[in-house]
Amino acid sequence: MAQLLEKLPPGDCPRVQQQLDGLSAAHQEAIFSCLKVRKEELRWALIEKTNSVTSAQLQDFDWQLKLPLSSDKIAFLQTPLLNLDLNVKENGVLKPVTIEMDKEELQTLIHSLEAANKVVLQIK
């Protein structure tokens, strides 16, 4: 929505324009003028809504790559593991979080973070 508001007037907002297609031109213009006037307020509301999902913030991280030389399961031998240490601040309290991932889990995490980054960039 914030991305759409950057592009006011109406001709530059295809998604908003599409949602308003059933309205008369006068009504569309009135809605766009309201959006334009309250653009910054709407932007901050979107930011607050996004921030309300969680109050946790990443403060620091560290990682190590491990190669197990022994295991009770032969499939885990010679399988690299990433040990990710996160320092997360939630409600003013710093909490350490440790995650161990294999290659597939790491790829899933990377894809999820890239998708989240795209959403954040669209909101800006």
Side-chain angles (χ1 to χ4, degrees):
M1 180 91 168
Q3 182 183 25
L4 297 174
L5 296 177
E6 294 295 327
K7 298 179 179 179
L8 293 172
D12 296 332
C13 300
R15 280 182 32 195
V16 173
Q17 189 71 42
Q18 185 180 24
Q19 291 178 348
L20 301 178
D21 270 346
L23 299 176
S24 69
H27 285 107
Q28 288 180 16
E29 189 62 40
I31 290 172
F32 274 105
S33 66
C34 290
L35 290 174
K36 191 172 188 174
V37 169
R38 300 187 71 186
K39 176 180 162 182
E40 198 59 32
E41 184 181 340
L42 291 168
R43 183 178 165 278
W44 279 109
L46 287 170
I47 290 171
E48 286 297 318
K49 184 176 180 182
T50 302
N51 288 343
S52 69
V53 172
T54 182
S55 63
Q57 296 177 337
L58 179 64
Q59 296 296 306
D60 195 14
F61 71 95
D62 192 18
W63 61 274
Q64 297 175 348
L65 187 60
K66 298 180 179 183
L67 187 62
L69 300 176
S70 65
S71 175
D72 59 342
K73 296 181 181 173
I74 193 109
F76 289 121
L77 287 177
Q78 303 296 320
T79 301
L81 297 172
L82 177 76
N83 192 31
L84 183 61
D85 297 318
L86 306 172
N87 291 323
V88 178
K89 190 174 189 178
E90 188 170 12
N91 299 324
V93 178
L94 198 61
K95 295 180 181 180
V97 177
T98 301
I99 305 169
E100 188 174 82
M101 297 176 272
D102 62 19
K103 185 177 179 179
E104 290 78 26
E105 292 169 324
L106 177 60
Q107 287 296 334
T108 302
L109 175 65
I110 290 170
H111 291 301
S112 297
L113 291 173
E114 287 173 345
N117 188 43
K118 286 180 183 177
V119 171
V120 169
L121 291 175
Q122 287 178 350
I123 291 174
K124 285 186 178 180

